[in-house]
Amino acid sequence: MVKISVILPNYNGGKYLAQSIESFIGQDYITKELIIVDGKSTDNSHEIIEKYVQLYPNIIWVKEEDKGISNAFNIGFKYAKGNIIGYLGSDDIIFKGLFEEINYINSWSSFDSIYFNSYTFYINEKRCILRKCPDIEFNLNNLLSYGTIVGWQNIYFKREIYERYRIDESNKTCMDYEFYLQICSSEDLLFIQSDRISTINIFDGNISSDFNGTQMLEATNVAKKYASKTSYKGQLFGSRIVTKKQSILTSFKNLFIR
């Protein structure tokens, strides 16, 4: 069985943190570990983490003070021992049976990366939406045309990928998008798309009020940067939508809400 490491950066995410940790524990899979990076929380997060660390030796608490999600992930990676690496938010729940699915597909494919569909649970509005990845090849051209394709918590990479390419810590909201563009512009990798569900993202807010276009603007700038380095001639992601606010919001919902 391949060892799977999940890195969970947390800052004051105590409201759903226990559910997130429990979903890791609930994976019926032996060779796994959870790396929690949290040295700054001021809510009840540290009490929650301490309880689980005392009970489960495969849950590691890294108490270094990070400078944001990107930096926290890179810190966590230094402690990860797994052959396959995933990211998890403190408001994400890992779907039952995910690790077994990853191990099985790895046994016959030797993938570089595998990615999945997910649910977004709008808890206050009592709505749950299936977020299906688009049925397109995971490559540079499609990333430049359509955006992220999959959220960071729904994609797992072989550790060698994170050893060769690190998350850009200057990127505050679209670190996953830039990482995808970086690796796909550098080499050909085997991406496998599964039709299984990997996470349930608990969205504790109003669907239309939790963003103001900042993430979209950053993503558009990232896309422009990588397009300028290549021979890409298509319609760049964001170019058709930056002029109309409603289009921004629609595209944001479809492509960036995890």
Side-chain angles (χ1 to χ4, degrees):
M1 297 178 72
V2 66
K3 185 168 187 177
I4 299 174
S5 298
V6 176
I7 300 171
L8 193 165
N10 180 69
Y11 176 64
N12 288 344
K15 188 171 185 179
Y16 301 110
L17 181 59
Q19 287 178 262
S20 185
I21 296 172
E22 288 284 353
S23 72
F24 166 83
I25 296 168
Q27 294 295 307
D28 188 17
Y29 192 81
I30 298 173
T31 53
K32 62 183 180 181
E33 66 177 5
L34 179 65
I35 314 295
I36 304 174
V37 182
D38 185 354
K40 300 191 301 183
S41 287
T42 56
D43 63 355
N44 63 337
S45 291
H46 289 182
E47 296 174 16
I48 294 170
I49 299 169
E50 182 66 34
K51 179 183 70 173
Y52 286 105
V53 167
Q54 294 296 325
L55 294 174
Y56 299 95
N58 61 349
I59 298 179
I60 296 93
W61 181 11
V62 180
K63 301 180 182 180
E64 293 185 36
E65 291 196 12
D66 62 84
K67 299 176 183 177
I69 294 176
S70 300
N71 178 239
F73 182 88
N74 287 337
I75 290 171
F77 180 72
K78 294 187 298 184
Y79 293 84
K81 305 298 183 185
N83 310 104
I84 296 175
I85 310 294
Y87 161 85
L88 191 69
S90 58
D91 56 357
D92 296 323
I93 297 172
I94 306 173
F95 212 76
K96 284 281 189 181
L98 178 65
F99 291 177
E100 288 184 326
E101 173 79 355
I102 292 172
N103 182 67
Y104 171 67
I105 294 179
N106 180 70
S107 70
W108 58 260
S109 71
S110 297
F111 60 78
D112 293 299
S113 176
I114 182 170
Y115 60 102
F116 304 86
N117 300 320
S118 64
Y119 286 117
T120 300
F121 180 29
Y122 298 100
I123 192 166
N124 293 333
E125 300 186 6
K126 298 181 179 180
R127 296 179 63 193
C128 189
I129 297 175
L130 174 63
R131 301 286 179 184
K132 295 191 70 173
C133 299
D135 188 19
I136 55 177
E137 188 175 353
F138 200 110
N139 59 31
L140 180 62
N141 279 356
N142 284 334
L143 286 165
L144 289 172
S145 296
Y146 300 104
T148 54
I149 295 178
V150 62
W152 199 10
Q153 71 272 45
N154 301 312
I155 187 167
Y156 285 71
F157 289 93
K158 291 290 179 62
R159 74 170 296 113
E160 297 84 48
I161 307 302
Y162 280 120
E163 286 173 345
R164 294 201 295 271
Y165 309 96
R166 292 300 175 90
I167 299 297
D168 184 348
E169 297 182 3
S170 67
N171 203 315
K172 302 303 180 184
T173 62
C174 297
M175 62 288 291
D176 51 351
Y177 186 36
E178 178 147 16
F179 182 74
Y180 304 161
L181 289 167
Q182 181 187 15
I183 61 178
C184 287
S185 63
S186 301
E187 59 180 304
D188 292 327
L189 300 173
L190 175 58
F191 290 86
I192 291 185
Q193 180 179 358
S194 170
D195 62 359
R196 298 280 297 273
I197 302 295
S198 60
T199 63
I200 304 161
N201 175 241
I202 301 174
F203 195 79
D204 192 355
N206 182 273
I207 292 176
S208 60
S209 65
D210 196 56
F211 49 86
N212 57 13
T214 301
Q215 187 175 8
M216 177 60 69
L217 178 61
E218 187 173 277
T220 302
N221 290 335
V222 168
K224 288 179 180 177
K225 180 174 73 172
Y226 280 87
S228 68
K229 298 178 181 180
T230 70
S231 58
Y232 177 77
K233 300 299 183 182
Q235 190 169 24
L236 193 65
F237 170 70
S239 63
R240 67 179 71 88
I241 55 178
V242 295
T243 57
K244 294 183 179 180
K245 182 177 180 181
Q246 187 56 45
S247 295
I248 290 176
L249 299 185
T250 300
S251 180
F252 194 110
K253 293 175 191 175
N254 291 339
L255 291 171
F256 279 91
I257 293 178
R258 312 286 201 258

